[in-house]
Amino acid sequence: MRTTPSPDSPHVGHVDHGHTVLAVPVPALDDFVRQRTVLYDEAYLAEDPHFGQAHVTVLGPWVREPRAEDLAMIARIAAAAEPFDYLLAATGVFPNGIIHLVPDPAAPFQALTKQAWDAFPDHPPYAGAFGGVTPHLTLDAVGPGVDEAHVRDLLGDRIPVTCRADRVQLQWWQAGHCHVKGAWPLGGATTGDRS
């Protein structure tokens, strides 16, 4: 078992004051991602059963303390986007060692990110740390005995899997306190809920 958090974790060496993330949960792989997260970043394993541990990020970090008008804007963005199906089959590894799945098609996720970023230009994806934004579902992190091939073997027949994006969650990420703060259905009503 790797130590928690891993040496590559962005959370090492600073106090975590928490942040919000807008995300599309991926229930089909939530159990797998929870099993892997406990090995490399256990502090960020949510106890909230509605929390999309497996997710594709739309925008994060987002507004730390969103106002009613911020929430209403995200509700409008979600309501204007129709639910969509996508395939998870291809894996990849980012330069920082994050092993991930790439959704196909990626365009609907990119569209959600663009709309959210256009509405909140002071909140670029990943705080502007990366040149481009690649929609992805984080699976694991490279470490001793863990690489892309190993994670693909662990996934086994879980992939390929066809999933449906049907909502955007407002997630709170903080060591020991990850939970859902709200959610909006894609193509649906503009009021948030707690799932």
Side-chain angles (χ1 to χ4, degrees), residues 4-26:
T4 303
S6 73
D8 295 325
S9 172
H11 314 296
V12 172
H14 76 275
V15 176
D16 177 12
H17 297 289
H19 64 277
T20 58
V21 171
L22 297 168
V24 173
V26 184

Side-chain angles (χ1 to χ4, degrees), residues 59-112:
L59 190 61
W62 187 55
V63 178
R64 181 175 172 77
E65 295 180 12
R67 299 166 300 170
E69 55 264 36
D70 299 330
L71 299 173
M73 175 60 73
I74 297 304
R76 286 192 295 273
I77 290 169
E82 291 300 318
F84 59 91
D85 294 327
Y86 59 96
L87 180 70
L88 291 170
T91 57
V93 181
F94 290 125
N96 65 358
I98 295 298
I99 302 166
H100 59 276
L101 282 164
V102 180
D104 181 22
F109 291 106
Q110 292 166 329
L112 284 170

Side-chain angles (χ1 to χ4, degrees), residues 97-179:
I98 295 298
I99 302 166
H100 59 276
L101 282 164
V102 180
D104 181 22
F109 291 106
Q110 292 166 329
L112 284 170
T113 295
K114 182 180 184 324
Q115 291 165 12
W117 188 10
D118 285 351
F120 298 91
D122 293 340
H123 297 277
Y126 304 102
F130 306 105
V133 178
T134 302
H136 66 280
L137 186 158
T138 297
L139 295 170
D140 209 323
V142 171
V146 179
D147 60 14
E148 183 179 1
H150 174 72
V151 173
R152 279 195 71 88
D153 287 346
L154 291 174
L155 281 166
D157 62 4
R158 290 181 183 92
I159 60 169
V161 60
T162 299
C163 302
R164 184 153 183 84
D166 62 3
R167 67 190 182 279
V168 172
Q169 278 189 344
L170 173 55
Q171 300 179 339
W172 178 257
W173 283 81
Q174 184 178 20
H177 301 288
C178 295
H179 61 277

